[in-house]
């Protein structure tokens, strides 16, 4: 086991990890962070998405030891208080049904809107291409992201 220290949702955390443990398992099973979901466990579905130093990554593909000294943000940590405008927009647009994809989608869209506050529909589709949703047909998700970016 190897000790790692990293910032998790704004708080310094130190934990001993096996060199083979993936970040997703450490977050969910050992640190009580349940928003990243284990969908495919092979990088295909995006349900495990977290932000690593502000960039969306698949936590099922990242070894926990790789985040030593870095900053990890999950859905639990994106709003200091209450919900973000994007989360409110998801509610207003019924952009989830079962909700399994939502944490990953919202984190990916949070990154998009930070870098590009007024994305076109094509840019939203492109940004979310790696986040699969079985339920919504994607249109409500796209509408919610565009509305949160100031589009009608
Ligand atoms: S669980 Fe990581 S991409 Fe599917
Ligand atoms: S709301 Fe069910 S997978 Fe997206």
């Amino acid at each position: 086991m190897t000790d790692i220290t990293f910032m998790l949702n704004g708080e310094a955390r130190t934990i001993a990890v096996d060199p083979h443990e993936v970040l997703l398992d450490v977050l969910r099973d050992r640190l009580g962070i349940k928003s990243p979901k284990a969908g495919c466990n092979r990088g295909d579905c995006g349900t495990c998405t977290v932000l690593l130093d502000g960039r969306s990554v698949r936590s099922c593909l990242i070894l926990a030891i790789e985040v030593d000294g870095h900053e990890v943000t999950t859905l639990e940590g994106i709003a200091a208080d209450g919900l973000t405008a994007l989360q409110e927009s998801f509610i207003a647009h019924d952009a989830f049904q079962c909700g399994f994809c939502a944490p990953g989608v919202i984190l990916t869209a949070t990154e998009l809107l930070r870098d590009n506050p007024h994305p076109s529909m094509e840019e939203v589709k492109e940004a979310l291409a790696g986040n699969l949703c079985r339920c919504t047909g994607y249109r409500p998700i796209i509408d919610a992201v565009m509305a949160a970016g100031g589009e009608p």
Side-chain angles (χ1 to χ4, degrees), residues 96-101 133-136:
F96 31 53
Q97 291 179 27
C98 80
F100 195 77
C101 68
C133 176
R134 298 169 297 189
C135 308
T136 65

Side-chain angles (χ1 to χ4, degrees), residues 35-134:
S35 70
K37 302 289 188 283
C40 66
N41 280 318
R42 61 180 193 188
D44 290 337
C45 72
T47 60
C48 65
T49 299
V50 302
L51 299 179
L52 176 58
D53 296 333
R55 291 290 167 201
S56 57
V57 296
R58 308 272 196 259
S59 63
C60 71
L61 297 181
I62 301 279
L63 292 173
I65 55 172
E66 294 182 75
V67 307
D68 187 28
H70 293 273
E71 183 175 355
V72 174
T73 305
T74 68
L75 193 71
E76 290 85 347
I78 62 168
D81 190 21
L83 300 176
T84 66
L86 178 59
Q87 288 173 299
E88 297 280 11
S89 188
F90 265 64
I91 294 169
H93 289 84
D94 293 325
F96 31 53
Q97 291 179 27
C98 80
F100 195 77
C101 68
V105 171
I106 289 172
L107 287 172
T108 302
T110 296
E111 178 190 30
L112 169 67
L113 293 176
R114 184 196 63 213
D115 295 345
N116 179 6
H118 302 289
S120 67
M121 183 177 291
E122 284 309 310
E123 288 171 329
V124 174
K125 286 181 180 178
E126 185 177 336
L128 295 178
N131 291 85
L132 305 185
C133 176
R134 298 169 297 189

Side-chain angles (χ1 to χ4, degrees), residues 1-17 23 26-27 30-31 52-53 63-72:
M1 301 289 271
T2 303
D3 276 352
I4 63 169
T5 299
F6 65 107
M7 296 298 290
L8 176 58
N9 296 329
E11 187 180 330
R13 304 295 297 262
T14 298
I15 187 170
V17 300
L23 178 60
V26 170
L27 290 174
R30 301 179 56 203
L31 291 171
L52 176 58
D53 296 333
L63 292 173
I65 55 172
E66 294 182 75
V67 307
D68 187 28
H70 293 273
E71 183 175 355
V72 174

